[in-house]
Amino acid sequence: IYTFIGMVYGVCLTAPLFWCSFIDTTLLEQQIQMSQSRGYTEEQHLIPMIPTTDEHVYVILSFVFCLALSLAVCALMSFHIYLIFTAQTTVECHGNNTRKKRAKEEGKIWKNPYDLGWKLNWQQVYGSQHPLLAMLPSSRIPEYFPLPIDGKLHQRHQHNLVFKRDDREYTVVV
């Protein structure tokens, strides 16, 4: 998310310069004429925030790189938010898509056994605090265990966790 914000900031900084350098060049032409009329042999910065002809390449490259990277990082961020909401890793996502496809061909419905719903999946990764606070760096111990036990999320503050599966009783000491 921080990289995406940085790239959007870069796009916002370079967009007006890109516009003046590449799209609407009237101010650039005025700056060239002003430089010539004042007797300068090279173009000068006479209009604020208007790059010189020598700086066009850098402005255009900066804008295009920031725009392209912000779109790529946005796509990557969106995919990872989807993975969090569906309780999957990248590898599991590909395997689960294959399982869903096979189940659909057989007329069945396949559901990810670790998917507890988007809200509980988010809490499993980031805890129950506000979503924006969850994005800040933290040294806290996660509120929930990393995997559901017997299909349910269990909080870490419990000292002994007892659950039953297949008529057997298991105890997890925390």
Side-chain angles (χ1 to χ4, degrees):
I1 192 161
Y2 299 112
T3 306
F4 175 70
I5 291 170
M7 292 294 103
V8 169
Y9 179 70
V11 168
C12 292
L13 282 179
T14 57
L17 299 173
F18 176 79
W19 184 265
C20 293
S21 297
F22 196 68
I23 309 295
D24 183 16
T25 59
T26 55
L27 289 174
L28 178 65
E29 292 166 4
Q30 285 178 358
Q31 182 167 269
I32 294 170
Q33 289 173 356
M34 288 171 63
S35 294
Q36 291 171 350
S37 68
R38 292 187 181 179
Y40 294 110
T41 56
E42 292 183 10
E43 182 183 353
Q44 301 294 313
H45 284 281
L46 300 175
I47 302 174
M49 297 298 293
I50 302 299
T52 62
T53 309
D54 296 339
E55 298 167 340
H56 281 212
V57 173
Y58 304 115
V59 168
I60 292 169
L61 283 176
S62 297
F63 176 76
V64 170
F65 282 155
C66 285
L67 183 63
L69 287 174
S70 65
L71 293 175
V73 170
C74 180
L76 186 65
M77 181 178 67
S78 300
F79 177 63
H80 281 89
I81 289 172
Y82 165 77
L83 290 177
I84 290 170
F85 282 168
T86 57
Q88 301 180 83
T89 64
T90 309
V91 174
E92 286 174 338
C93 180
H94 295 295
N96 291 344
N97 286 338
T98 303
R99 289 182 191 95
K100 281 182 192 176
K101 195 176 188 180
R102 280 191 206 142
K104 188 176 182 181
E105 290 171 356
E106 295 172 3
K108 298 177 182 175
I109 296 174
W110 187 86
K111 187 177 184 316
N112 180 1
Y114 300 109
D115 189 359
L116 302 172
W118 70 270
K119 195 169 188 177
L120 286 175
N121 291 341
W122 178 271
Q123 288 178 352
Q124 188 175 5
V125 175
Y126 290 111
S128 58
Q129 62 187 351
H130 190 276
L132 293 178
L133 290 176
M135 295 295 113
L136 296 175
S138 173
S139 61
R140 69 172 175 79
I141 296 173
E143 189 174 338
Y144 291 93
F145 288 115
L147 296 173
I149 298 173
D150 205 27
K152 298 176 186 170
L153 280 181
H154 295 282
Q155 293 183 321
R156 288 182 181 265
H157 68 273
Q158 298 171 340
H159 296 289
N160 289 327
L161 181 64
V162 179
F163 66 95
K164 293 181 181 180
R165 180 179 286 164
D166 300 329
D167 297 329
R168 294 178 67 189
E169 192 170 286
Y170 298 92
T171 302
V172 177
V173 179
V174 184

